[in-house]
Amino acid sequence: MARGGGRRTAVATAALGSLLAVTALSACGGSSGDGADSRASDSPGGAGQSSAAADPTRIPGVGDRLQERIPGDSRQVVAVYGDGRDSADSTVVLYTKRGSGWHRARSWAAHNGTKGWTTDHHENDKRSPVGVFTLSDAGGVLPDPDPAPGAGLPYTRSASFAAPRWWAKSYWHDFDYVIAIDYNRVKGTPPNDPTRPEGTSKGGSIWLHMDHGSGTSACVSLPKPAMEYLLRTLDPDRHPVVVMGDRAHLEA
């Protein structure tokens, strides 16, 4: 199986790098506090292992409204369980489907938007959008951790992903690895493509990316080992999606 048209390699020009840095800033970057995350990286999703055992055909902690939006052919779900509507803390759990049942594979402590979650995301509201979104493209400053053809998401390596050096140093490596969340973007393009089909006011450039220890502008951030694991594991042939939101919205 070809890797979504093959691995992409990008060489950033100065103009492109400037444009994409602005785009990344408007969605994922910027200083939003330096609070360290003291939670263990394998902390549980807290959505109920017992509910998974009771009904393995459902993602735990996800109500009918969002459960029904998970594509029938999806066999990989990245679930982001936000601690609260106004909280920047969350837990990410990877579920894989074998047969008709979902199985918990890994979990990690994570962060979402500094101000929490929203069902009506807009540019610069500092909240992550609630919903179910496909995962189609990846990239970053660093080389693809899974370079062998035939498995992972299409990956664009480019210096244009680099966070601006006028950001606090703790943010400089945020975009070493990124996975695009398909919210207001064109699938099949690099994650930092600035095109926003629903218009700029709806925000965009919302990614899974590396964590700096506190909330983001709208993205979901994870530890480096988590990003490496997801990049090695997510497979276009398994139609991966992210199901994300605070626990109350997820369960609704």
Side-chain angles (χ1 to χ4, degrees), residues 68-120:
E68 291 169 0
R69 291 177 54 189
I70 300 172
D73 58 0
S74 178
R75 305 188 73 80
Q76 291 179 320
V77 168
V78 178
V80 184
Y81 298 100
D83 283 4
R85 184 183 182 278
D86 300 320
S87 173
D89 295 330
S90 54
T91 301
V92 170
V93 182
L94 175 64
Y95 295 97
T96 61
K97 197 171 191 178
R98 298 196 298 271
S100 61
W102 289 103
H103 299 267
R104 182 188 182 105
R106 295 285 182 94
S107 68
W108 305 273
H111 289 97
N112 49 266
T114 303
K115 294 186 177 181
W117 297 90
T118 179
T119 56
D120 187 22

Side-chain angles (χ1 to χ4, degrees), residues 135-171:
L135 300 171
S136 305
D137 302 280
V141 176
L142 297 179
D144 182 2
D146 183 25
L153 301 173
Y155 189 95
T156 300
R157 183 189 183 189
S158 173
S160 65
F161 282 97
R165 286 307 185 254
W166 47 267
W167 287 4
K169 192 172 182 179
S170 59
Y171 295 77

Side-chain angles (χ1 to χ4, degrees), residues 116-136:
W117 297 90
T118 179
T119 56
D120 187 22
H121 175 68
H122 285 81
E123 186 81 356
N124 297 322
D125 65 9
K126 304 295 184 183
R127 293 181 179 271
S128 298
V130 175
V132 178
F133 309 100
T134 53
L135 300 171
S136 305

